[in-house]
PDB file of all heavy atoms in Angstrom:
ATOM      1  N   ALA A   4     -18.817  -3.731  -3.238  1.00 96.00           N
ATOM      2  CA  ALA A   4     -18.292  -2.868  -2.182  1.00 96.00           C
ATOM      3  C   ALA A   4     -16.805  -3.137  -1.975  1.00 96.00           C
ATOM      4  O   ALA A   4     -16.014  -2.192  -1.812  1.00 96.00           O
ATOM      5  CB  ALA A   4     -19.062  -3.097  -0.879  1.00 96.00           C
ATOM      6  N   GLY A  15      -4.734   5.453  -3.422  1.00 97.00           N
ATOM      7  CA  GLY A  15      -3.833   5.971  -2.390  1.00 97.00           C
ATOM      8  C   GLY A  15      -2.461   5.330  -2.474  1.00 97.00           C
ATOM      9  O   GLY A  15      -1.437   5.994  -2.310  1.00 97.00           O
ATOM     10  N   ARG A  26      10.652  10.939  -5.318  1.00 93.00           N
ATOM     11  CA  ARG A  26      11.564  11.502  -4.313  1.00 93.00           C
ATOM     12  C   ARG A  26      12.858  10.699  -4.179  1.00 93.00           C
ATOM     13  O   ARG A  26      13.649  10.945  -3.281  1.00 93.00           O
ATOM     14  CB  ARG A  26      10.879  11.582  -2.955  1.00 93.00           C
ATOM     15  CG  ARG A  26       9.692  12.493  -2.921  1.00 93.00           C
ATOM     16  CD  ARG A  26      10.121  13.925  -3.015  1.00 93.00           C
ATOM     17  NE  ARG A  26       8.977  14.800  -2.840  1.00 93.00           N
ATOM     18  CZ  ARG A  26       9.057  16.041  -2.448  1.00 93.00           C
ATOM     19  NH1 ARG A  26      10.222  16.576  -2.201  1.00 93.00           N
ATOM     20  NH2 ARG A  26       7.977  16.763  -2.330  1.00 93.00           N
ATOM     21  N   PRO A  42      12.111  -4.310  -2.736  1.00 95.00           N
ATOM     22  CA  PRO A  42      11.356  -5.556  -2.944  1.00 95.00           C
ATOM     23  C   PRO A  42      10.044  -5.600  -2.150  1.00 95.00           C
ATOM     24  O   PRO A  42       9.048  -6.150  -2.628  1.00 95.00           O
ATOM     25  CB  PRO A  42      12.316  -6.646  -2.471  1.00 95.00           C
ATOM     26  CG  PRO A  42      13.670  -6.051  -2.614  1.00 95.00           C
ATOM     27  CD  PRO A  42      13.485  -4.592  -2.305  1.00 95.00           C
ATOM     28  N   THR A  72      -8.868 -17.018  -3.793  1.00 98.00           N
ATOM     29  CA  THR A  72      -7.548 -16.685  -4.330  1.00 98.00           C
ATOM     30  C   THR A  72      -7.227 -15.221  -4.053  1.00 98.00           C
ATOM     31  O   THR A  72      -6.109 -14.888  -3.633  1.00 98.00           O
ATOM     32  CB  THR A  72      -7.483 -16.979  -5.844  1.00 98.00           C
ATOM     33  OG1 THR A  72      -7.760 -18.363  -6.051  1.00 98.00           O
ATOM     34  CG2 THR A  72      -6.125 -16.624  -6.418  1.00 98.00           C
ATOM     35  N   LEU A  76      -4.215 -13.769  -1.757  1.00 98.00           N
ATOM     36  CA  LEU A  76      -3.241 -12.778  -2.232  1.00 98.00           C
ATOM     37  C   LEU A  76      -3.202 -11.560  -1.313  1.00 98.00           C
ATOM     38  O   LEU A  76      -2.155 -10.925  -1.154  1.00 98.00           O
ATOM     39  CB  LEU A  76      -3.571 -12.350  -3.661  1.00 98.00           C
ATOM     40  CG  LEU A  76      -3.256 -13.379  -4.744  1.00 98.00           C
ATOM     41  CD1 LEU A  76      -3.949 -13.020  -6.050  1.00 98.00           C
ATOM     42  CD2 LEU A  76      -1.754 -13.504  -4.938  1.00 98.00           C
ATOM     43  N   ALA A  81      -1.199  -7.535   3.009  1.00 97.00           N
ATOM     44  CA  ALA A  81      -1.387  -6.926   4.323  1.00 97.00           C
ATOM     45  C   ALA A  81      -0.118  -7.031   5.167  1.00 97.00           C
ATOM     46  O   ALA A  81       0.283  -6.057   5.831  1.00 97.00           O
ATOM     47  CB  ALA A  81      -2.560  -7.585   5.048  1.00 97.00           C
ATOM     48  N   ILE A  92       6.784   4.623  10.405  1.00 93.00           N
ATOM     49  CA  ILE A  92       6.461   5.375  11.624  1.00 93.00           C
ATOM     50  C   ILE A  92       7.673   6.116  12.185  1.00 93.00           C
ATOM     51  O   ILE A  92       7.565   7.309  12.489  1.00 93.00           O
ATOM     52  CB  ILE A  92       5.787   4.456  12.671  1.00 93.00           C
ATOM     53  CG1 ILE A  92       4.366   4.114  12.205  1.00 93.00           C
ATOM     54  CG2 ILE A  92       5.754   5.113  14.049  1.00 93.00           C
ATOM     55  CD1 ILE A  92       3.659   3.076  13.046  1.00 93.00           C
ATOM     56  N   VAL A  94      10.249   7.214  10.614  1.00 90.00           N
ATOM     57  CA  VAL A  94      10.559   8.281   9.653  1.00 90.00           C
ATOM     58  C   VAL A  94       9.598   9.442   9.861  1.00 90.00           C
ATOM     59  O   VAL A  94       9.994  10.602   9.854  1.00 90.00           O
ATOM     60  CB  VAL A  94      10.486   7.758   8.200  1.00 90.00           C
ATOM     61  CG1 VAL A  94      10.603   8.882   7.193  1.00 90.00           C
ATOM     62  CG2 VAL A  94      11.551   6.701   7.952  1.00 90.00           C
ATOM     63  N   ARG A  98      10.111  13.798  11.645  1.00 74.00           N
ATOM     64  CA  ARG A  98       9.777  14.803  10.635  1.00 74.00           C
ATOM     65  C   ARG A  98      10.388  16.171  10.926  1.00 74.00           C
ATOM     66  O   ARG A  98      10.725  16.896  10.004  1.00 74.00           O
ATOM     67  CB  ARG A  98       8.273  14.906  10.466  1.00 74.00           C
ATOM     68  CG  ARG A  98       7.554  15.469  11.666  1.00 74.00           C
ATOM     69  CD  ARG A  98       6.040  15.390  11.485  1.00 74.00           C
ATOM     70  NE  ARG A  98       5.354  15.866  12.653  1.00 74.00           N
ATOM     71  CZ  ARG A  98       5.048  15.128  13.699  1.00 74.00           C
ATOM     72  NH1 ARG A  98       5.393  13.861  13.714  1.00 74.00           N
ATOM     73  NH2 ARG A  98       4.418  15.626  14.731  1.00 74.00           N
ATOM     74  N   ALA A 108      18.526  21.803   2.205  1.00 48.00           N
ATOM     75  CA  ALA A 108      18.987  21.192   0.950  1.00 48.00           C
ATOM     76  C   ALA A 108      18.553  22.046  -0.236  1.00 48.00           C
ATOM     77  O   ALA A 108      17.548  22.732  -0.187  1.00 48.00           O
ATOM     78  CB  ALA A 108      18.411  19.791   0.808  1.00 48.00           C
ATOM     79  N   GLY A 114      18.788  16.064   0.914  1.00 59.00           N
ATOM     80  CA  GLY A 114      19.566  16.189   2.139  1.00 59.00           C
ATOM     81  C   GLY A 114      19.502  14.973   3.035  1.00 59.00           C
ATOM     82  O   GLY A 114      19.521  15.108   4.248  1.00 59.00           O
ATOM     83  N   PRO A 117      14.546  10.519   3.891  1.00 91.00           N
ATOM     84  CA  PRO A 117      13.952   9.366   3.209  1.00 91.00           C
ATOM     85  C   PRO A 117      12.770   9.787   2.338  1.00 91.00           C
ATOM     86  O   PRO A 117      11.995  10.669   2.710  1.00 91.00           O
ATOM     87  CB  PRO A 117      13.485   8.467   4.354  1.00 91.00           C
ATOM     88  CG  PRO A 117      14.255   8.914   5.549  1.00 91.00           C
ATOM     89  CD  PRO A 117      14.531  10.373   5.347  1.00 91.00           C
ATOM     90  N   ARG A 120       9.267  10.013   3.729  1.00 92.00           N
ATOM     91  CA  ARG A 120       8.946  11.104   4.648  1.00 92.00           C
ATOM     92  C   ARG A 120       7.878  12.013   4.041  1.00 92.00           C
ATOM     93  O   ARG A 120       7.149  12.704   4.736  1.00 92.00           O
ATOM     94  CB  ARG A 120      10.222  11.886   4.975  1.00 92.00           C
ATOM     95  CG  ARG A 120      10.023  13.186   5.703  1.00 92.00           C
ATOM     96  CD  ARG A 120       9.301  12.970   7.033  1.00 92.00           C
ATOM     97  NE  ARG A 120       8.844  14.215   7.579  1.00 92.00           N
ATOM     98  CZ  ARG A 120       7.585  14.656   7.480  1.00 92.00           C
ATOM     99  NH1 ARG A 120       6.678  13.965   6.878  1.00 92.00           N
ATOM    100  NH2 ARG A 120       7.246  15.805   7.999  1.00 92.00           N
ATOM    101  N   PHE A 122       5.166  11.128   2.480  1.00 94.00           N
ATOM    102  CA  PHE A 122       3.818  10.561   2.435  1.00 94.00           C
ATOM    103  C   PHE A 122       2.913  11.380   3.354  1.00 94.00           C
ATOM    104  O   PHE A 122       3.202  11.500   4.549  1.00 94.00           O
ATOM    105  CB  PHE A 122       3.787   9.115   2.912  1.00 94.00           C
ATOM    106  CG  PHE A 122       4.536   8.130   2.050  1.00 94.00           C
ATOM    107  CD1 PHE A 122       4.796   6.860   2.539  1.00 94.00           C
ATOM    108  CD2 PHE A 122       4.970   8.439   0.778  1.00 94.00           C
ATOM    109  CE1 PHE A 122       5.473   5.926   1.775  1.00 94.00           C
ATOM    110  CE2 PHE A 122       5.650   7.517   0.003  1.00 94.00           C
ATOM    111  CZ  PHE A 122       5.898   6.258   0.504  1.00 94.00           C
ATOM    112  N   PRO A 123       1.804  11.901   2.840  1.00 94.00           N
ATOM    113  CA  PRO A 123       0.875  12.623   3.719  1.00 94.00           C
ATOM    114  C   PRO A 123       0.205  11.650   4.693  1.00 94.00           C
ATOM    115  O   PRO A 123      -0.255  10.577   4.292  1.00 94.00           O
ATOM    116  CB  PRO A 123      -0.148  13.210   2.746  1.00 94.00           C
ATOM    117  CG  PRO A 123       0.468  13.114   1.393  1.00 94.00           C
ATOM    118  CD  PRO A 123       1.424  11.963   1.442  1.00 94.00           C
ATOM    119  N   VAL A 127      -1.773   7.909   4.201  1.00 97.00           N
ATOM    120  CA  VAL A 127      -1.308   6.670   4.834  1.00 97.00           C
ATOM    121  C   VAL A 127      -2.438   6.062   5.667  1.00 97.00           C
ATOM    122  O   VAL A 127      -2.712   4.861   5.573  1.00 97.00           O
ATOM    123  CB  VAL A 127      -0.059   6.925   5.709  1.00 97.00           C
ATOM    124  CG1 VAL A 127       0.325   5.684   6.506  1.00 97.00           C
ATOM    125  CG2 VAL A 127       1.121   7.393   4.855  1.00 97.00           C
ATOM    126  N   LEU A 128      -3.098   6.888   6.466  1.00 97.00           N
ATOM    127  CA  LEU A 128      -4.187   6.389   7.315  1.00 97.00           C
ATOM    128  C   LEU A 128      -5.355   5.864   6.488  1.00 97.00           C
ATOM    129  O   LEU A 128      -5.880   4.776   6.761  1.00 97.00           O
ATOM    130  CB  LEU A 128      -4.660   7.483   8.264  1.00 97.00           C
ATOM    131  CG  LEU A 128      -3.671   7.904   9.348  1.00 97.00           C
ATOM    132  CD1 LEU A 128      -4.234   9.067  10.162  1.00 97.00           C
ATOM    133  CD2 LEU A 128      -3.316   6.736  10.247  1.00 97.00           C
ATOM    134  N   VAL A 135      -7.861  -2.546   5.309  1.00 97.00           N
ATOM    135  CA  VAL A 135      -8.485  -3.445   6.288  1.00 97.00           C
ATOM    136  C   VAL A 135      -9.935  -3.712   5.894  1.00 97.00           C
ATOM    137  O   VAL A 135     -10.399  -4.859   5.924  1.00 97.00           O
ATOM    138  CB  VAL A 135      -8.381  -2.860   7.713  1.00 97.00           C
ATOM    139  CG1 VAL A 135      -9.247  -3.635   8.694  1.00 97.00           C
ATOM    140  CG2 VAL A 135      -6.933  -2.831   8.180  1.00 97.00           C
ATOM    141  N   LEU A 138      -9.979  -6.134   2.979  1.00 97.00           N
ATOM    142  CA  LEU A 138      -9.674  -7.493   3.422  1.00 97.00           C
ATOM    143  C   LEU A 138     -10.895  -8.139   4.066  1.00 97.00           C
ATOM    144  O   LEU A 138     -11.236  -9.287   3.768  1.00 97.00           O
ATOM    145  CB  LEU A 138      -8.487  -7.472   4.385  1.00 97.00           C
ATOM    146  CG  LEU A 138      -7.965  -8.815   4.856  1.00 97.00           C
ATOM    147  CD1 LEU A 138      -7.291  -9.551   3.700  1.00 97.00           C
ATOM    148  CD2 LEU A 138      -6.980  -8.629   5.993  1.00 97.00           C
ATOM    149  N   SER A 151     -23.949 -13.053  -3.300  1.00 49.00           N
ATOM    150  CA  SER A 151     -23.122 -12.484  -4.381  1.00 49.00           C
ATOM    151  C   SER A 151     -23.946 -12.234  -5.612  1.00 49.00           C
ATOM    152  O   SER A 151     -25.050 -12.636  -5.734  1.00 49.00           O
ATOM    153  CB  SER A 151     -21.967 -13.416  -4.736  1.00 49.00           C
ATOM    154  OG  SER A 151     -22.428 -14.649  -5.210  1.00 49.00           O
TER     155      SER A 151
END
Side-chain angles (χ1 to χ4, degrees):
R26 297 289 186 157
T72 301
L76 286 165
I92 288 172
V94 172
R98 67 187 177 273
R120 169 59 193 100
F122 295 167
V127 173
L128 292 176
V135 169
L138 185 69
S151 62

